[in-house]
Amino acid sequence: MDKRAREQQTMEEMIKIYCHGLHHTKKGTLCPVCTSLLQYTRERIARCPHMETKTFCAFCKTHCYSPTRREEIRAVMRYSGPRMMLTAPAATLHHLYLSILHK
């Protein structure tokens, strides 16, 4: 699996966790608001010119997300990040490791 596909898969998982926890959807399903956000992230990840070389969007100088959507995505990450430890522990630990390297 390439980096874009992994990034898209991670965002999908995080949005599902967020939607289930805060919008009370059935596990694995999305409400219309979260479906729209997921589609937006997929489009942005697909078009990112730096995806193959960067570690995280937060460390990128080119901000692909609009300010409003960026805040929505940050809310998803704040909520879902700690909960990812239960669904994808290896990916979560890898993310933490890369975060520490960039501090």
Side-chain angles (χ1 to χ4, degrees):
M1 182 182 299
D2 73 347
K3 190 170 183 183
R4 283 181 204 275
R6 274 195 320 271
E7 184 73 16
Q8 288 176 339
Q9 184 179 29
T10 299
M11 285 308 302
E12 182 172 348
E13 183 65 26
M14 292 183 93
I15 292 170
K16 283 180 181 177
I17 290 169
Y18 178 84
C19 194
H20 176 69
L22 295 180
H23 300 156
H24 309 292
T25 58
K26 269 202 277 185
K27 194 168 187 162
T29 63
L30 297 174
C31 70
V33 171
C34 290
T35 299
S36 171
L37 183 59
L38 177 59
Q39 184 59 37
Y40 181 80
T41 62
R42 284 179 178 159
E43 290 169 5
R44 294 302 171 161
I45 290 168
R47 287 193 229 152
C48 177
H50 310 291
M51 184 57 62
E52 301 308 320
T53 58
K54 70 180 179 182
T55 51
F56 303 117
C57 291
F59 301 128
C60 187
K61 302 235 183 297
T62 306
H63 291 290
C64 299
Y65 298 125
S66 71
T68 303
R69 289 296 199 169
R70 193 175 316 138
E71 287 308 312
E72 291 176 56
I73 292 164
R74 284 182 181 150
V76 167
M77 291 181 172
R78 276 191 301 271
Y79 180 86
S80 301
R83 290 159 179 86
M84 286 289 287
M85 197 62 165
L86 299 173
T87 59
T92 304
L93 292 173
H94 182 70
H95 180 82
L96 289 171
Y97 172 73
L98 291 175
S99 294
I100 291 168
L101 288 178
H102 283 291
K103 287 187 178 188

